[in-house]
Amino acid sequence: MTPQAGLSFEQAPPILVPFRFFLSAPVFGVLAALTLLWQGPALFDSRWMPPALALTHLMTLGFLGLAMLGAMFQMLPVVAGAPISRANSVSLGVFGLLVPGVLTLASGFLLVSPELIRLAMGLLGSGFTLFILAVAVSLKRAANNPTSRGMRFAVLALTVTATFGLVLASNYGWGWWIANRIQITSIHLAWGLLGWVGVLVVSVSYQVVPMFQLTPAYPKPLSAWLPPGLFVLLLLWTAFTLGNMEALVPVAGGAIALAFALYAGVTLRLQTQRRRKISDVTLLFWRYGMAALLLVLTLWLAGQAVPQLDNWPGYPFLLGMLFIGGFVVSVVNGMLYKILPFLIWFHLQSRLTGIAKIPNMKEILPEKAMRRQMRLHFAAVPLLALAPLMPPLIYPAALIFGVSMLLLETNLIFAFGVYRRNLKLVS
Amino acid sequence: MAIYKNVRQLHEEERPSGKFMETISEYLSSDHHRCDDLFALAEELAGDGKWERTATEFGAFLESMRHHFAMEEEVLFPTFEERTGMSMGPTQIMRMEHQQMRGLFDAMAQAVEKRDQDDFLGQAETLLVLMQQHNLKEEQILYHMADQVLGGEARDVIARLRAVA
């Protein structure tokens, strides 16, 4: 670490910098649920059909993308000592490009409109470029710890994902056809879900798992080597895939799966060793997410061994529902329930100290409301995962998932309302 | 009110086989760890509605935090500021966060007196996040900077930290 690294202890960015992302994210979850209800069992005909692509991107770019970008704006100053400069303008720009970008991309798929896809490419391409450049500048001066190093790999993976995503979208935008579209899609998907989302969750958990539950720290070799290791394995896997080295592709894939399984296992183990005995929704969301991750990895390995499973059209949906809905959405949902009320408290105390009593985190976001939403989410995931097997299940699954996302949104809005009401006490 | 071990005595017990902790980082980080344990215990007891013991353990936690802040505010921060010439930098923010935590300590103490479980647990939750992100900044950035800047003096600083009552 250079002596200058992390010298800037600037406080959190203005509250709206992360909140515009957090408050919008669940809306995309609701839109995803509506898409499921609209399409019904026909959705499972093929993962290559446009509605399936719309659904996937509403969840990954919309819900997860917004939540994770918002969290990075917030976390960079705290965990890496490196705030994004001009955070407010940058976040407004990124937000203003990505939100219409996701909406036009999803409508472009659903309405089969090349014009909308082209528009989406411009919006998403410039939004991600702006974000990646701003974060790259910030991470260059970041303190050197496993989390900030992991974030660098995650952002590199995001760059790869976005690039391949634009190439693929151009297919729909201009009606040309890439010969190896299936390979390019696998690469786009692997870098997005395992590289960007996976490595970011892994890196952030080094800080937040010990922090929120007082668990022991992750073993040093694991925290140091997992993000770069996953990155290198993804590079190898990509090279094997593009080089048509069919014997080696599953080897690299298997190694990636085992690395994530190791991470999930260690996380669950650390949580059993937590010194904070009180259980809370965040802990439950994380455990659920880790269990879903272990399950999806097992099913993926099973698919490698049993070709019939791999060839079943419902299989990618099963994996996707469990990885995105079961693993990542759970973890992000749990994190939102810690970060949001804390930030509201944090911003209120700087304004209200000495003037009025500052509401505590559980007054800002009541436990009961969080638990109610959590139970719906926990019920929705198994139904979503089973729906590819029993297609009519898609209706109750989508309904419960949609209500869960709606409750998440109202919970977050309730918390933000507490902030606004209390702020009025000052003025 | 509280029956707790002398803080320094606890340090002695934690230290592996009498080996002197060599860096400021190790010394103060392990003190964070100890404060966290006391916090977790008080929170658990309040969650179970055991108010007598909550009062005792929360008192021990407050005392350990008072001592930790004193080590930093009376010894580490001034020494660091003197060496680096930065009095408005990171140490200033750390002092401010100590103030924020003191506000929560008071709120929690009132909740213990009123035996208001919801309020205590809500304040505790808030304190935990504030305290942990504060500790993170200290452990990952400030303490390392202090070890670097103070170099050979670190042993002497640790000796002075140990002398803080």
Side-chain angles (χ1 to χ4, degrees):
Chain A
M1 187 173 92
T2 63
Q4 278 77 25
L7 264 189
S8 137
F9 260 98
E10 271 168 62
Q11 284 300 281
I15 195 164
L16 274 178
V17 168
F19 270 57
R20 57 172 63 99
F21 292 94
F22 295 155
L23 291 173
S24 318
V27 176
F28 287 89
V30 175
L31 291 176
L34 291 174
T35 308
L36 281 169
L37 287 172
W38 175 25
Q39 296 295 322
L43 186 89
F44 298 128
D45 289 348
S46 160
R47 63 180 275 212
W48 302 99
M49 298 295 278
L53 300 174
L55 171 73
T56 311
H57 289 89
L58 283 171
M59 284 313 294
T60 51
L61 283 174
F63 180 81
L64 298 177
L66 291 182
M68 292 167 89
L69 260 48
M72 278 198 81
F73 275 100
Q74 181 60 42
M75 290 186 88
L76 277 169
V78 179
V79 302
I84 291 176
S85 45
R86 297 172 188 234
N88 199 33
S89 330
V90 173
S91 97
L92 205 56
V94 171
F95 182 80
L97 290 163
L98 291 186
V99 167
V102 183
L103 292 172
T104 45
L105 183 73
S107 354
F109 283 135
L110 287 169
L111 308 171
V112 196
S113 153
E115 292 77 18
L116 284 175
I117 299 281
R118 290 200 289 257
L119 180 60
M121 288 173 66
L123 291 164
L124 293 170
S126 41
F128 278 119
T129 306
L130 178 60
F131 175 76
I132 289 165
L133 288 177
V135 171
V137 170
S138 146
L139 278 172
K140 257 184 88 168
R141 6 176 215 103
N144 195 11
N145 58 45
T147 297
S148 60
R149 278 197 298 272
M151 280 179 167
R152 287 190 184 113
F153 288 113
V155 172
L156 276 175
L158 175 64
T159 315
V160 176
T161 311
T163 310
F164 280 95
L166 287 172
V167 171
L168 287 165
S170 72
N171 271 240
Y172 295 88
W174 281 275
W176 65 296
W177 208 244
I178 310 176
N180 57 349
R181 194 174 61 116
I182 294 183
Q183 285 179 339
I184 302 280
T185 305
S186 303
I187 293 170
H188 167 68
L189 199 138
W191 284 89
L193 292 180
L194 308 173
W196 154 244
V197 173
V199 171
L200 190 63
V201 168
V202 166
S203 316
V204 167
S205 55
Y206 297 158
Q207 308 277 1
V208 298
V209 168
M211 177 166 162
F212 292 147
Q213 298 301 331
L214 302 178
T215 73
Y218 280 82
K220 275 212 174 111
L222 184 80
S223 58
W225 288 104
L226 198 51
L230 283 168
F231 191 83
V232 170
L233 285 172
L234 274 167
L235 279 178
L236 285 174
W237 176 85
T238 307
F240 298 155
T241 302
L242 288 174
N244 291 316
M245 292 180 244
E246 268 149 38
L248 290 173
V249 173
V251 176
I256 294 172
L258 288 178
F260 273 108
L262 177 69
Y263 158 77
V266 168
T267 304
L268 285 171
R269 185 171 153 73
L270 289 177
Q271 286 174 335
T272 62
Q273 298 169 329
R274 69 188 202 276
R275 289 174 292 144
R276 185 188 196 208
K277 293 297 172 226
I278 281 194
S279 140
D280 64 16
V281 289
T282 301
L283 176 70
L284 298 172
F285 268 119
W286 272 77
R287 290 184 150 175
Y288 192 90
M290 292 303 136
L293 177 57
L294 285 173
L295 181 60
V296 75
L297 294 169
T298 312
L299 286 169
W300 182 83
L301 287 169
Q304 299 298 303
V306 185
Q308 293 91 324
L309 184 58
D310 200 29
N311 293 331
W312 170 48
Y315 181 59
F317 287 96
L318 171 65
L319 296 183
M321 297 288 185
L322 283 174
F323 189 91
I324 297 171
F327 164 47
V328 199
V329 173
S330 305
V331 164
V332 168
N333 197 333
M335 291 280 293
L336 286 173
Y337 279 162
K338 279 283 189 226
I339 299 177
L340 243 98
F342 177 71
L343 286 178
I344 288 174
W345 175 86
F346 181 83
H347 285 275
L348 280 179
Q349 65 81 32
S350 73
R351 307 287 294 274
L352 292 183
T353 299
I355 300 170
K357 186 181 180 292
I358 305 146
N360 66 51
M361 278 171 68
K362 289 188 176 171
E363 288 164 336
I364 293 167
L365 191 37
E367 183 87 16
K368 255 191 191 161
M370 294 192 283
R371 284 193 185 262
R372 196 165 47 215
Q373 187 263 327
M374 178 186 76
R375 281 193 289 269
L376 282 176
H377 175 73
F378 287 179
V381 171
L383 290 174
L384 287 168
L386 287 172
L389 275 174
M390 288 172 265
L393 267 187
I394 195 66
Y395 293 112
L399 196 66
I400 296 176
F401 181 71
V403 175
S404 156
M405 283 287 135
L406 198 62
L407 279 186
L408 174 61
E409 179 67 26
T410 51
N411 282 347
L412 301 186
I413 290 176
F414 175 87
F416 195 61
V418 173
Y419 171 75
R420 306 239 315 232
R421 271 197 306 282
N422 275 276
L423 213 57
K424 283 196 186 126
L425 300 174
V426 200
S427 53
Chain B
M1 59 169 167
I3 305 165
Y4 50 87
K5 290 183 183 174
N6 177 290
V7 191
R8 252 170 297 163
Q9 193 184 329
L10 276 170
H11 284 310
E12 304 290 339
E13 287 169 13
E14 276 200 355
R15 210 174 313 126
S17 62
K19 191 171 154 267
F20 197 84
M21 286 205 183
E22 278 165 326
T23 63
I24 294 171
S25 243
E26 284 169 341
Y27 186 74
L28 288 176
S29 300
S30 83
D31 198 49
H32 279 160
H33 210 262
R34 197 179 52 81
C35 295
D36 290 346
D37 283 340
L38 292 167
F39 167 87
L41 183 55
E43 189 190 35
E44 187 187 352
L45 290 165
D48 294 340
K50 296 174 179 160
W51 288 107
E52 295 288 323
R53 286 195 58 205
T54 303
T56 312
E57 298 302 334
F58 181 65
F61 166 68
L62 282 189
E63 172 54 26
S64 70
M65 290 304 287
R66 185 203 59 74
H67 177 255
H68 185 83
F69 287 177
M71 289 197 289
E72 292 181 340
E73 291 177 358
E74 289 166 22
V75 178
L76 181 70
F77 295 173
T79 317
F80 180 86
E81 287 161 1
E82 205 179 292
R83 287 297 171 283
T84 59
M86 290 192 303
S87 56
M88 298 308 290
T91 48
Q92 191 55 28
I93 302 212
M94 294 300 102
R95 286 180 209 269
M96 200 173 81
E97 292 184 352
H98 287 175
Q99 272 319 105
Q100 292 165 354
M101 282 188 250
R102 286 182 178 114
L104 287 169
F105 296 159
D106 292 345
M108 287 168 83
Q110 280 174 21
V112 173
E113 260 175 46
K114 283 191 250 164
R115 305 200 164 187
D116 184 338
Q117 192 180 43
D118 285 347
D119 193 35
F120 185 88
L121 294 178
Q123 305 287 356
E125 172 91 7
T126 316
L127 176 67
L128 180 71
V129 184
L130 178 65
M131 187 162 75
Q132 294 307 310
Q133 59 97 36
H134 172 83
N135 292 357
L136 213 68
K137 286 191 269 192
E138 288 187 337
E139 290 173 21
Q140 297 189 346
I141 302 174
L142 185 71
Y143 293 165
H144 286 293
M145 284 170 69
D147 275 317
Q148 280 184 344
V149 174
L150 300 172
E153 248 182 294
R155 280 185 93 95
D156 167 57
V157 173
I158 294 174
R160 284 195 289 138
L161 289 174
R162 293 167 64 81
V164 172

